[in-house]
Amino acid sequence: MEERSEIIEKYKKKIESLKKHNNFYYIKDKPKISDSDYDNLKKEIIILEKKYKFLKKFGTVNQIIGAPPSNKFLKIKHLQPMLSLSNAFNKEDMRDFIKKINNFLNLKNENLELLAEPKIDGISATLIYEKGNLIRGLSRGDGSIGEDILENLKTLFSIPKKINAKDVPELLEIRCEVYIGKKDFFKIKDNFANPRNAAGGSLRQKNSNETSKIPLKYFAYGFGAVKPMIFKNQSEFLKKIKKWNFSTNPLSETVNGLDQIETKHREIDKLRSTLDYDIDGLVYKVNNINLQKRLGNTSNSPRWAIAYKFSAEKAVTKIKNIAIQVGRTGAITPVAKVDPVNVGGVVVSNATLHNEEEIQRKDIRIGDTIIIQRAGDVIPQVVSVDISKRDKSSTKYMFPKKCLCGAETKKELSKSTNKQDAVRRCFKGYDCKFIAKEKLKHIVSKEAFNIDGLGKKVIEQFWDLNLIKEPSDIFRLDYKKIKKLEGWGELSINNLKKAIDKSKMISLDKFIYSIGIRHIGQENAKILSSFFGSIKGFTKLFESKSRKKTLVNLVDLDGIGETQVYSIDNFFSNITNTRIIKDLIDKLIIKNYAVKNNDGKFSNKKLMFTGGFKNMSRSEAKAITENNGGKVLGSISKKLDFLVVGDSKPTQKKIDQAKQLNIKIILEKDWNKILNS
Ligand code: IVH
């Protein structure tokens, strides 16, 4: 019997060798071993992974196999961003989804027609047709820039290369999900970890002949850019493209109201195992395309669609220990280290316990037998404790009152609810090295600096080696040292250099988001960026006096409240935080806030709303104003150009204040007039 350490050593060597050959094959275009030797190497690794579950923690081969470095394909900007979906896990989440839509559209709890469609667990792609001819095919990439994989997509027999119909729009972009059938996967399963991985690997082969060897299929589910727009609703769209020979999912169906949503969900969940493709839930989309347009998107996902996931897979295991993790905003999260257990195909050895209260409420103790669950890509959770299996000698778990850095932690009083926070936090900011490391991971993430090749794992590694301790270190990396590290060759270093150089030029809103101030997400970062306009304006936050003055004005902004202001003040009151952000700015070129629409109907105008509109919600009126170049403020001030008074319950005090300041007061119909002028 081989020793565990020997197996690990053997496994690591094989992984290194695979990485090396991937590099020869994908980047240098000069494979050094035959295809069959390469396949054998992959197989050996997969066999080891399947046999020895403890190898999981060394990073799985999934991430390496068939995932060629992304610089291989030409990068092309999407005509319209490819967004993600927000998730629902139960009936309550779906009720909330419908309620939010009703609120936005100013409707009174109407049961809107939704289109329900299986959510395929595959790889998303987009197909662009001009005058009915397939001219471009892209992968999702980061959502805003995709990769040119047209040749590979063309090998899918069932993707129309030409649409022969009179009524095809001049420009037609079809969004689809590419997958490999379960039966087909069975035939090649020794080469890949799962069907999704096989599809991804195949679709991103540099050689389209290779792609054609793996039987890929797809379902078209939506559209991107379409000119002229001829579709009125989603179901009609699907019917039409089916006629044009696209493959659409036969299980799609319109539903009305929560009961039908639940029924459809149960029905498909029952069918799930009989389908030839993996699905992890259903997508529910507002059927009416006009309403979809009105609803629009938040930063990452449409307001008109949601992925309702199937219920979580559960398993029984035992808690070996409870560890503490510190997040980038200082949140202290307890994590149960459990005996490794297979939960729906994935080996789980960590599960979140959320917070101190949760541990107390469920009286969770080290040594307890527990049920854990895992839904989608969400972190596994501890559901319940089997007290009958508890050891008599077990004692209550005492939640540590100190952060891993040694500082005292505290539960704050929420500014908005005046209740004590459930989460305990460390307030040391960059002075706590555990927070600092998490902040770095946030900074390099996709939505922030988006540095290819500098992911969470590399940050961990570079942190341990003292190569990166704070954000500005990213821009003064010692590449000579990196070159000596295992797995880093000239090419990967050059790619990293390029990616870092590229990231130096960043927009103000992304920069603000990257800092990772608590309560300042992507949306708030945009609001702040439009307020400050340039990095120079933003630097007023660094010095205590000018900060206080600036912060007073921030409360005017619609969307920014006391909570956010308090959090910004807190962040920059810490001199280490401020110094670190200053050092980072020195390394960057930060682009001024780009005024979205300079010739919009409300460009350079500041508006405020009071009272409800007849035909739309406040959120929609705000979105329309902003899309037309205007800024929406949340309180009366001299800077305001218009106070827009709606019919329903306007606040008299606001009207009086506006009159006193000589601000122009207009009605809903005047606002509409300007818009349509
Ligand atoms: S609709 C986001 N419908 O899921 C815009 N997406 O998490 C609306 N997906 O990138 C997406 N099956 O690739 C939609 N029936 C389906 C889908 C589906 C799979 C993928 C899609 C998207 C991802 C979002």
Side-chain angles (χ1 to χ4, degrees), residues 83-85 117-120 124 140 177 221 283 285 302 304:
L83 303 170
S84 9
L85 287 166
E117 194 172 63
K119 183 169 191 295
I120 316 295
S124 45
R140 180 176 187 277
E177 193 80 358
Y221 61 72
V283 186
K285 312 170 192 181
W304 47 266

Side-chain angles (χ1 to χ4, degrees), residues 59-65 67 197 457:
T60 150
V61 73
N62 292 3
Q63 291 148 10
I64 305 161
I65 285 186
N197 210 251
K457 278 204 178 134

Side-chain angles (χ1 to χ4, degrees), residues 508 512 517 520 523-533 538 541 554 557 560 568:
L508 183 60
I512 295 176
I517 303 170
I520 307 298
E523 287 298 320
N524 282 336
K526 276 187 198 151
I527 299 175
L528 290 176
S529 144
S530 107
F531 173 84
F532 288 111
F538 187 76
L541 294 174
L554 278 187
L557 301 173
I560 303 285
I568 297 171

